[in-house]
Structures are given as C-alpha cells and as structure tokens.
Amino acid sequence: MPSEPDEYAELVLDTVERIPPGRVLAYGDIAELVGQGGPRQVGRVMSLFGGGVPWWRVVRADGGPPSGHEVRALEEYRVEGTPLRPDGRRVDMRRARWWPDEEPGGPSE
C-alpha cells in the first residue's frame, strides 16, 4: 500500500477538494474530469487517501453515499443542505451534481 499519493491520486484529491458544499460528483465523474482511470480507480484513491478531503461529496452513480460511511455522509449532507432523494438515503444527482464550469470566476477560484 502506498504511503504517499501519486500524481493521479493528487489529481483526484484536488478535484474532490473543489466540490462545493451541498454538491457532489460520482466516482466516474471524477475520473472523467481528471482524464484517466475510472470509478474503481477513483474509489481506490478515496479509500487510501480520502480522509483529508470532503469524501462525502463523492458518491455512487445512483446517489448512494460511500459504502460503509452512510451514516456520517448523510449527516454531512444534511448539514450542507445537499439535495436528497425522497427516500432520504441517496443524493438527488440531478440537483446536486456539480461541474467545475459552474464555479463563479472560473476554475481558479
């Protein structure tokens, strides 16, 4: 197991840090944004190095919170006002998904 994130992991973590409160990205969305890997690779990065970033803002494609961390993630969603599905257990991806081009002032902010 690597002790330090490699270049790919740093790209993933930097992307996660940019997700605003109340918004989310799916694992596959992050892979698309960084231009390499896929959902599983992003998941591996998050499992190894994601503790220092807002990990709860990275969800499964169906809006489900990270496996094994559902209770804590749902608490964070409520605090941040993240839109949830009517069942209250998944994020409403249509309303909560974020893309960097939505950032005020562009990607450098």
Side-chain angles (χ1 to χ4, degrees), residues 34-55:
V34 300
Q36 55 184 315
R40 289 178 190 258
Q41 289 78 18
V42 171
R44 176 125 173 97
V45 168
M46 293 303 293
S47 71
L48 292 173
F49 306 112
V53 298
W55 54 265

Side-chain angles (χ1 to χ4, degrees), residues 10-90:
E10 289 291 349
L11 287 170
V12 168
L13 297 172
D14 289 347
T15 301
V16 173
E17 286 182 327
R18 292 175 54 205
I19 305 169
R23 305 298 294 275
V24 299
L25 285 174
Y27 293 94
D29 296 336
I30 293 173
E32 185 178 327
L33 285 170
V34 300
Q36 55 184 315
R40 289 178 190 258
Q41 289 78 18
V42 171
R44 176 125 173 97
V45 168
M46 293 303 293
S47 71
L48 292 173
F49 306 112
V53 298
W55 54 265
W56 57 90
R57 297 180 191 154
V58 183
V59 299
R60 296 189 308 263
D62 70 354
S67 296
H69 301 282
E70 294 87 354
V71 172
R72 170 83 192 282
L74 288 168
E75 290 171 5
E76 296 289 348
Y77 302 149
R78 287 186 187 99
V79 167
E80 293 185 355
T82 307
L84 298 177
R85 305 268 311 197
D87 66 12
R89 297 190 322 247
R90 293 179 295 151

